[in-house]
């Protein structure tokens, strides 16, 4: 089956620093990748959709300058949380899909900002 | 778009019993999907039902879809302790590929 990995799985950082999270499709080429955020005991909220080689489309209320998304290849997308603050602490999950097909989810990255 | 609603929010049953979770949504959809999430982990895709389908089975899972009521149900038969997890429905809206997740049901299956 299609496998999506995320790195790191867990990160702790100081307030004001930037954190980069990688999402990779390991055995398929993903035309589209999605980034979600999940707060404790809540559902997943879509942050942005990215297509390889083009700018990401952000959901309403998500600051594009704070959550930088780069989708440089068909197997890699990165999410950079810039100048992270404690309220950015959350579980970030990516998914990848071939256009029009099922999304395959990564295992998630838990971010804790102190 | 707004999240779907799931009920119950939490469900506690004994091994061997059946578990039923319901999902309601608000928009026109291409398909509806069910996912499982173990605590602090990623999502596992369980089953997808298209808007022109009414029922689908996969192992111990049975999913129904009623587009006139904009609702779906997930039935897990003969539950096991390993089924303990949160279950989410997600709809793919017509014309869009992105998924809108429901609020989730936390299922606890006791041995």
């Amino acid at each position: 089956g299609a496998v999506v990995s995320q790195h790191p799985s867990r990160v702790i950082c100081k307030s004001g620093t930037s954190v980069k999270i990688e999402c990779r499709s390991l055995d398929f080429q993903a035309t589209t990748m999605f980034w979600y955020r999940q707060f404790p005991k809540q559902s997943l909220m879509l942050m942005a959709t990215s297509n390889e080689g083009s700018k990401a489309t952000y959901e309403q209320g998500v600051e594009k300058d704070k959550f930088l998304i780069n989708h440089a290849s068909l197997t890699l997308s990165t999410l950079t949380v810039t100048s992270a603050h404690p309220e950015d602490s959350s579980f970030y999950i990516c998914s990848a899909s071939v256009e029009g097909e099922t999304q395959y989810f990564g295992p998630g990255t838990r971010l804790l900002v102190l | 778009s707004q999240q779907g609603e799931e009920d119950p929010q939490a469900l506690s049953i004994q091994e061997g019993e059946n578990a039923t979770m319901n999902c309601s949504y608000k928009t026109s959809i291409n398909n509806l999907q069910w996912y499982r999430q173990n605590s602090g982990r990623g999502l596992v895709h369980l089953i997808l039902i298209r808007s022109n389908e009414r029922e689908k089975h996969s192992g111990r899972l049975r999913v129904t879809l009623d587009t006139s009521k904009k609702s779906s149900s997930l039935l897990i038969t003969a539950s096991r302790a390993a089924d303990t997890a949160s279950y989410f429905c997600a709809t793919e809206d017509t014309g869009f590929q992105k998924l809108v997740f429901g609020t989730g049901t936390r299922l606890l299956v006791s041995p």
Side-chain angles (χ1 to χ4, degrees):
Chain A
V3 179
V4 176
S5 70
Q6 279 184 243
H7 178 80
S9 58
R10 185 183 298 261
V11 57
I12 301 173
C13 69
K14 292 182 179 179
S15 187
T17 60
S18 294
V19 175
K20 180 185 284 188
I21 302 170
E22 292 186 350
C23 176
R24 293 182 186 272
S25 56
L26 298 185
D27 51 2
F28 68 102
Q29 292 188 322
T31 51
T32 308
M33 287 185 170
F34 304 83
W35 286 96
Y36 297 83
R37 180 168 55 186
Q38 183 181 33
F39 291 107
K41 296 187 178 180
Q42 294 189 27
S43 189
L44 280 74
M45 297 297 292
L46 180 65
M47 299 175 67
T49 303
S50 75
N51 293 293
E52 184 263 340
S54 61
K55 288 185 179 180
T57 301
Y58 290 81
E59 294 300 299
Q60 194 170 16
V62 178
E63 300 175 58
K64 62 181 181 181
D65 294 331
K66 181 167 185 63
F67 299 99
L68 301 179
I69 292 172
N70 184 287
H71 192 162
S73 77
L74 286 171
T75 59
L76 173 64
S77 176
T78 60
L79 168 68
T80 301
V81 183
T82 62
S83 186
H85 292 283
E87 58 266 28
D88 298 323
S89 298
S90 188
F91 192 54
Y92 291 87
I93 305 177
C94 74
S95 70
S97 73
V98 178
E99 189 169 341
E101 297 187 1
T102 303
Q103 291 184 33
Y104 298 95
F105 283 80
T109 296
R110 187 161 302 283
L111 170 64
L112 176 60
V113 185
L114 302 177
Chain B
S1 48
Q2 287 185 307
Q3 282 186 303
E5 295 287 328
E6 289 186 59
D7 80 274
Q9 289 188 337
L11 180 59
S12 185
I13 59 175
Q14 299 289 316
E15 262 191 331
E17 294 180 339
N18 295 342
T20 299
M21 290 159 258
N22 302 295
C23 167
S24 62
Y25 57 93
K26 299 181 188 300
T27 59
S28 295
I29 63 172
N30 287 330
N31 61 65
L32 185 145
Q33 304 176 39
W34 285 90
Y35 289 85
R36 183 183 73 215
Q37 184 181 37
N38 289 84
S39 181
R41 307 291 290 275
L43 274 73
V44 174
H45 184 262
L46 296 176
I47 197 165
L48 180 153
I49 186 165
R50 301 188 192 285
S51 60
N52 61 353
E53 296 176 311
R54 292 296 167 259
E55 187 171 313
K56 206 161 183 180
H57 297 255
S58 176
R60 293 184 295 114
L61 306 180
R62 173 177 168 256
V63 169
T64 63
L65 178 64
D66 187 335
T67 52
S68 66
K69 295 182 180 178
K70 289 187 166 51
S71 67
S72 174
S73 67
L74 170 67
L75 168 68
I76 304 174
T77 60
S79 63
R80 305 166 182 168
D83 294 329
T84 295
S86 291
Y87 291 81
F88 294 93
C89 68
T91 54
E92 182 182 293
D93 291 355
T94 303
F96 299 94
Q97 194 189 352
K98 61 184 182 182
L99 295 176
V100 178
F101 281 83
T103 50
T105 294
R106 292 194 303 280
L107 174 65
L108 173 63
V109 182
S110 301

